[in-house]
Amino acid sequence: MPEFQFNQLPEQKNSAAESPENQKVAQQLENLKRSHSQRHQLTNLEIWALVSTMDDFIPGFWSRFMVNRQVAFKEFLEQKKTKGS
């Protein structure tokens, strides 16, 4: 009895899995994954540059922003709780 691993598909023995159409789709998926990863990294870099610049102009900007964000989030949760009751 073959042993199955849940994170892998069983091997296909037909040549359809290696058809040019399937290879093209697999390549497009790989390109999409790479593009998504690069966009995520670029967004992180842009946020870091913005925070660094704001901290240069207004020292403590990021820490104050994060405190305000935490307070706003707690207020949001309280509003959701009171609306739900």
Side-chain angles (χ1 to χ4, degrees):
M1 185 163 147
E3 186 175 317
F4 292 101
Q5 293 185 1
F6 291 106
N7 60 351
Q8 295 179 347
L9 294 174
E11 292 182 30
Q12 295 181 356
K13 298 189 182 206
N14 61 14
S15 62
E18 297 176 9
S19 71
E21 294 84 13
N22 287 347
Q23 288 178 352
K24 184 176 178 181
V25 169
Q27 182 65 39
Q28 288 174 337
L29 285 173
E30 187 60 36
N31 290 342
L32 186 60
K33 288 178 187 177
R34 190 176 319 110
S35 173
H36 177 74
S37 176
Q38 289 172 343
R39 185 180 60 198
H40 183 73
Q41 291 172 353
L42 183 60
T43 301
N44 285 344
L45 179 63
E46 289 172 347
I47 290 170
W48 176 84
L50 178 63
V51 167
S52 178
T53 301
M54 289 304 295
D55 265 343
D56 288 344
F57 287 117
I58 307 168
F61 167 83
W62 185 248
S63 61
R64 288 190 305 245
F65 172 81
M66 292 304 291
V67 168
N68 289 338
R69 181 179 178 272
Q70 187 176 29
V71 169
F73 184 67
K74 286 179 182 178
E75 290 174 2
F76 171 76
L77 290 178
E78 281 299 316
Q79 289 175 358
K80 291 285 271 185
K81 188 186 289 186
T82 56
K83 279 186 179 181
S85 298

